[in-house]
Amino acid sequence: MKRITSFFKSLRARIFLLSFSLGVIFTVILSFIVGFSYKREEINSEILSVSSQARIINSAVVTTGYINGTDNESVRQAIEFSAQALSGRILVLDSSLKVIKDSYSLYEGKTVIWDIVLQAAGGESASSNDEKSGLLAVAVPIIDDTKSSSAKDSTVIGVLLFVKQIKKDSDNSSAFNQLLILFLFFDIIISFILAWFISKAIMKPVNNVATRIDSVTKGLVENELTPDKYTETAKIYDSFNAYANRMKTLDESRQEFVSNVSHELKTPLASMKVLADSINSMPDAPVDMYREFMGDITGEIDRENNIISDLLTLVRFDRKKAEINISQVRLNTLLEEIMKRLRPLADKASVELVLESFRPVTAEVDETKFSLAISNLIENAIKYNNEGGYVHVSLNADHQYFYIHVEDNGLGIPEESVDHIFERFYRADKSHSREIGGTGLGLSITESIIHMHKGEINVHSVLGEGTEFVVRVPIHYIADDADEKQKDFKI
Ligand code: ADP
């Protein structure tokens, strides 16, 4: 039952039904055309035999003067004989279209003014066939060509009307109809077989695609799928390969992330273990040493904590629909608060912290997230700085975007590292970063937050001279489904 249902839902069933119906429809139309031509042919042959009989009667009628009222037994007999031979009725009409002879002797003396009779009186043979009554009528002009030698001058002196009831199911046509039915029956069988094979042949490449994709999915075939000879299936293979490559890249980056996370989480643990083992192996160590080691262990615990909380923040942002609570935020105030919070850190590192607001800016942002993003930038500018250095933060805006610059004259970033600093766990200067408690996740978090706001972040740095981060974000929040036409943004 399931197999039957799945067959009827398949593309093959549709192709089969389509080819089958086309086959049958084509034959039915063909049968109609053949049947119609056959009938026409039947009528035409009937008209032909009437015409030849008409010629015989015509000369008899003219030469004997029968048409002018001269009774002639042999002409009458000839007419009746012809009517019998043609299995119909013959009427002879004079020039005023009055019947002078009816082989059925019913219409004599009456006038017949049918269309075809009028046409024949004009000199042209005419016929009519009434499908409903099955009545075939042929009118032939009776021409007196004895008076003139040229056919042009011949005059129509009467009309010969032949009427015949054509049997709807004559022997011939019923045999023909039987033949048609047989033809139709064979056609149905042939169409069925052909449609079956056509649908199978068309679906073969598609089924092959499924089999080959299956084998790749099951890991039986490692390589990419090789292109196919058909355009459509080749496209499917291309798309599948692109998809498989994307999955591969994703999987690789996930594996790399997991191994980075494990490594980062293990490092503080390893340090703690070394410190704890050292204390354990020295039972008589002085209290100061214990304190120092315990202080180091606490430092490592803090580091582990920072990594875990940064990781959690990142994972939260990674979720497709990270919640974003947009509100109107006065950015000048927000920056002042961040500066106030980070001032003790700057003082400790002897770094000067300056905020320059070019104009009051109110924008639609998620206050908590945005504050975290900018804090990370300013914190880095303080951390990766020299004693006596400065951090310059500025806020500006145009009618569409606001801009935040975070500039320092600190350590700078090596050229080869600039493109990587937004990667997770990437640190340009590993030892220094670790020393100051960096997790390598801060800029990834900042970048995620800026992108959530449909903004851009760019960096410009010279090693040994300093670094500048520029953030550009739309003043009015652009929801995900809105058109995201953004200009290229480079500093
Ligand atoms: P971390 O926790 O190590 O600071 P981040 O993701 O915040 O991690 O930064 C990545 C790396 O980028 C840092 O380790 C550092 O080498 C470099 N970096 C970031 N900001 C600055 C800056 N203002 N000056 C110099 N180097 C920086």
Side-chain angles (χ1 to χ4, degrees), residues 376-377 380-381 383-384 408 411-413 421 423 426-429 433 437-444 461 467 469:
N376 281 346
L377 293 180
N380 278 351
K383 283 191 310 190
Y384 302 103
D408 67 65
L411 307 179
I413 305 165
I421 53 168
E423 290 169 13
Y426 187 86
R427 296 170 181 119
D429 179 353
S433 170
T439 60
L441 294 171
L443 286 182
S444 304
S461 184
T467 308
F469 283 92

Short mmCIF file of all heavy atoms in Angstrom, two decimals, residues 376-377 380-381 383-384 408 411-413 421 423 426-429 433 437-444 461 467 469, ligand 1:
data_model
loop_
_atom_site.label_atom_id
_atom_site.label_comp_id
_atom_site.label_asym_id
_atom_site.label_seq_id
_atom_site.Cartn_x
_atom_site.Cartn_y
_atom_site.Cartn_z
N ASN A 376 34.87 46.41 25.41
CA ASN A 376 35.95 45.51 24.97
C ASN A 376 37.02 46.28 24.21
O ASN A 376 38.22 46.07 24.42
CB ASN A 376 35.41 44.41 24.06
CG ASN A 376 34.73 43.31 24.85
OD1 ASN A 376 34.90 43.23 26.07
ND2 ASN A 376 33.98 42.47 24.17
N LEU A 377 36.58 47.18 23.32
CA LEU A 377 37.54 47.93 22.49
C LEU A 377 38.40 48.84 23.37
O LEU A 377 39.62 48.91 23.21
CB LEU A 377 36.80 48.77 21.44
CG LEU A 377 36.05 48.02 20.35
CD1 LEU A 377 35.39 49.01 19.40
CD2 LEU A 377 37.01 47.12 19.56
N ASN A 380 40.78 46.84 25.58
CA ASN A 380 41.96 46.39 24.80
C ASN A 380 42.94 47.53 24.59
O ASN A 380 44.16 47.34 24.72
CB ASN A 380 41.52 45.87 23.43
CG ASN A 380 41.03 44.44 23.49
OD1 ASN A 380 41.18 43.79 24.53
ND2 ASN A 380 40.43 43.95 22.43
N ALA A 381 42.39 48.72 24.26
CA ALA A 381 43.27 49.87 24.00
C ALA A 381 44.07 50.21 25.25
O ALA A 381 45.22 50.67 25.15
CB ALA A 381 42.43 51.06 23.56
N LYS A 383 44.74 47.83 27.71
CA LYS A 383 45.58 46.65 28.00
C LYS A 383 46.82 46.60 27.12
O LYS A 383 47.92 46.31 27.58
CB LYS A 383 44.78 45.37 27.78
CG LYS A 383 43.81 45.04 28.90
CD LYS A 383 43.22 43.65 28.77
CE LYS A 383 42.64 43.26 27.46
NZ LYS A 383 41.88 42.02 27.44
N TYR A 384 46.61 46.85 25.82
CA TYR A 384 47.73 46.72 24.89
C TYR A 384 48.35 48.10 24.65
O TYR A 384 48.44 48.58 23.53
CB TYR A 384 47.27 46.07 23.58
CG TYR A 384 46.67 44.72 23.81
CD1 TYR A 384 45.29 44.53 23.78
CD2 TYR A 384 47.49 43.63 24.11
CE1 TYR A 384 44.74 43.29 24.04
CE2 TYR A 384 46.93 42.38 24.37
CZ TYR A 384 45.56 42.22 24.34
OH TYR A 384 45.02 41.00 24.60
N ASP A 408 44.46 54.28 20.03
CA ASP A 408 45.49 54.29 21.08
C ASP A 408 46.87 54.41 20.43
O ASP A 408 47.01 54.19 19.23
CB ASP A 408 45.39 53.02 21.94
CG ASP A 408 45.73 51.77 21.18
OD1 ASP A 408 46.89 51.61 20.76
OD2 ASP A 408 44.81 50.93 20.97
N LEU A 411 50.76 49.20 21.66
CA LEU A 411 51.68 48.24 21.04
C LEU A 411 51.47 48.05 19.54
O LEU A 411 52.40 47.70 18.82
CB LEU A 411 51.51 46.87 21.73
CG LEU A 411 51.63 46.87 23.26
CD1 LEU A 411 51.42 45.47 23.79
CD2 LEU A 411 53.03 47.36 23.68
N GLY A 412 50.24 48.25 19.10
CA GLY A 412 49.94 48.00 17.68
C GLY A 412 49.84 46.50 17.41
O GLY A 412 50.18 45.67 18.26
N ILE A 413 49.35 46.17 16.21
CA ILE A 413 49.16 44.75 15.86
C ILE A 413 50.02 44.44 14.64
O ILE A 413 50.03 45.20 13.67
CB ILE A 413 47.67 44.47 15.52
CG1 ILE A 413 46.78 44.91 16.70
CG2 ILE A 413 47.42 43.01 15.19
CD1 ILE A 413 45.31 45.02 16.36
N ILE A 421 42.39 39.10 14.03
CA ILE A 421 42.10 39.45 15.45
C ILE A 421 40.64 39.26 15.85
O ILE A 421 40.34 39.15 17.03
CB ILE A 421 42.55 40.88 15.81
CG1 ILE A 421 41.96 41.87 14.82
CG2 ILE A 421 44.06 40.98 15.88
CD1 ILE A 421 42.13 43.30 15.27
N GLU A 423 38.96 36.62 15.03
CA GLU A 423 38.70 35.17 15.15
C GLU A 423 38.70 34.78 16.62
O GLU A 423 39.43 35.37 17.42
CB GLU A 423 39.79 34.38 14.41
CG GLU A 423 39.69 34.52 12.90
CD GLU A 423 40.90 33.98 12.18
OE1 GLU A 423 41.72 33.27 12.82
OE2 GLU A 423 41.06 34.29 10.98
N TYR A 426 41.95 34.07 18.92
CA TYR A 426 43.16 34.56 18.27
C TYR A 426 43.79 35.67 19.11
O TYR A 426 43.12 36.60 19.56
CB TYR A 426 42.87 35.09 16.86
CG TYR A 426 44.15 35.43 16.13
CD1 TYR A 426 44.84 34.45 15.43
CD2 TYR A 426 44.70 36.72 16.20
CE1 TYR A 426 46.05 34.74 14.81
CE2 TYR A 426 45.90 37.02 15.58
CZ TYR A 426 46.57 36.02 14.88
OH TYR A 426 47.76 36.30 14.27
N ARG A 427 45.07 35.54 19.31
CA ARG A 427 45.81 36.58 20.04
C ARG A 427 47.05 36.91 19.22
O ARG A 427 47.80 36.01 18.85
CB ARG A 427 46.24 36.09 21.41
CG ARG A 427 45.08 35.78 22.31
CD ARG A 427 45.62 35.09 23.52
NE ARG A 427 44.56 34.72 24.44
CZ ARG A 427 44.32 33.47 24.78
NH1 ARG A 427 45.02 32.49 24.26
NH2 ARG A 427 43.38 33.22 25.65
N ALA A 428 47.25 38.21 18.98
CA ALA A 428 48.41 38.61 18.19
C ALA A 428 49.69 38.32 18.97
O ALA A 428 50.65 37.77 18.45
CB ALA A 428 48.31 40.09 17.83
N ASP A 429 49.67 38.68 20.25
CA ASP A 429 50.84 38.44 21.10
C ASP A 429 50.39 37.54 22.24
O ASP A 429 49.86 38.01 23.25
CB ASP A 429 51.37 39.80 21.60
CG ASP A 429 52.58 39.63 22.49
OD1 ASP A 429 52.92 38.46 22.83
OD2 ASP A 429 53.20 40.65 22.86
N SER A 433 49.11 38.68 25.95
CA SER A 433 47.67 38.60 26.16
C SER A 433 47.34 37.73 27.37
O SER A 433 46.48 38.08 28.19
CB SER A 433 47.02 38.02 24.90
OG SER A 433 45.69 37.74 25.15
N GLY A 437 45.63 38.47 31.16
CA GLY A 437 44.35 37.80 31.40
C GLY A 437 43.40 37.80 30.22
O GLY A 437 42.20 37.65 30.38
N GLY A 438 43.90 37.99 28.98
CA GLY A 438 43.02 37.99 27.80
C GLY A 438 42.52 36.59 27.48
O GLY A 438 43.20 35.60 27.74
N THR A 439 41.32 36.53 26.90
CA THR A 439 40.76 35.22 26.54
C THR A 439 40.81 34.99 25.03
O THR A 439 40.59 33.88 24.55
CB THR A 439 39.28 35.12 26.96
OG1 THR A 439 38.57 36.16 26.28
CG2 THR A 439 39.09 35.26 28.45
N GLY A 440 41.04 36.04 24.28
CA GLY A 440 41.05 35.92 22.81
C GLY A 440 39.64 35.89 22.24
O GLY A 440 39.46 35.59 21.07
N LEU A 441 38.66 36.20 23.08
CA LEU A 441 37.26 36.15 22.62
C LEU A 441 36.62 37.53 22.55
O LEU A 441 35.55 37.70 21.97
CB LEU A 441 36.43 35.26 23.56
CG LEU A 441 36.80 33.78 23.58
CD1 LEU A 441 36.06 33.06 24.70
CD2 LEU A 441 36.50 33.12 22.25
N GLY A 442 37.27 38.52 23.19
CA GLY A 442 36.67 39.86 23.30
C GLY A 442 36.27 40.46 21.97
O GLY A 442 35.13 40.92 21.80
N LEU A 443 37.18 40.45 20.98
CA LEU A 443 36.86 41.09 19.69
C LEU A 443 35.80 40.31 18.91
O LEU A 443 35.02 40.91 18.17
CB LEU A 443 38.13 41.27 18.85
CG LEU A 443 39.07 42.39 19.31
CD1 LEU A 443 40.27 42.50 18.39
CD2 LEU A 443 38.36 43.74 19.36
N SER A 444 35.79 38.95 19.09
CA SER A 444 34.73 38.16 18.42
C SER A 444 33.38 38.61 18.95
O SER A 444 32.41 38.75 18.18
CB SER A 444 34.86 36.67 18.73
OG SER A 444 36.10 36.21 18.37
N SER A 461 46.07 49.44 12.09
CA SER A 461 47.08 49.37 13.15
C SER A 461 48.50 49.37 12.57
O SER A 461 48.73 48.83 11.49
CB SER A 461 46.85 48.09 13.97
OG SER A 461 47.76 48.05 15.04
N THR A 467 46.87 51.62 17.46
CA THR A 467 45.76 50.96 16.77
C THR A 467 44.54 51.88 16.79
O THR A 467 44.33 52.61 17.76
CB THR A 467 45.41 49.64 17.49
OG1 THR A 467 46.61 48.89 17.64
CG2 THR A 467 44.38 48.83 16.75
N PHE A 469 40.31 51.50 16.06
CA PHE A 469 39.11 50.75 15.68
C PHE A 469 38.04 51.76 15.34
O PHE A 469 37.86 52.75 16.04
CB PHE A 469 38.62 49.88 16.85
CG PHE A 469 39.44 48.63 17.04
CD1 PHE A 469 40.52 48.62 17.90
CD2 PHE A 469 39.13 47.47 16.35
CE1 PHE A 469 41.28 47.47 18.08
CE2 PHE A 469 39.89 46.32 16.52
CZ PHE A 469 40.96 46.31 17.38
P1 ADP B 1 42.13 39.24 24.26
O1 ADP B 1 41.26 38.71 25.30
O2 ADP B 1 43.36 38.44 24.05
O3 ADP B 1 42.38 40.69 24.41
P2 ADP B 1 40.61 40.01 21.96
O4 ADP B 1 39.72 39.22 21.08
O5 ADP B 1 39.99 41.15 22.68
O6 ADP B 1 41.31 39.00 22.92
O7 ADP B 1 41.77 40.56 21.06
C1 ADP B 1 42.45 39.68 20.20
C2 ADP B 1 43.89 40.10 20.03
O8 ADP B 1 43.95 41.31 19.26
C3 ADP B 1 44.56 40.43 21.30
O9 ADP B 1 45.12 39.26 21.89
C4 ADP B 1 45.62 41.38 20.87
O10 ADP B 1 46.77 40.69 20.46
C5 ADP B 1 45.03 42.10 19.69
N1 ADP B 1 44.49 43.45 20.06
C6 ADP B 1 43.23 43.78 20.30
N2 ADP B 1 43.10 45.10 20.55
C7 ADP B 1 44.34 45.61 20.48
C8 ADP B 1 44.86 46.94 20.63
N3 ADP B 1 44.09 47.98 20.91
N4 ADP B 1 46.18 47.08 20.45
C9 ADP B 1 46.97 46.05 20.16
N5 ADP B 1 46.55 44.78 20.00
C10 ADP B 1 45.23 44.56 20.15
#
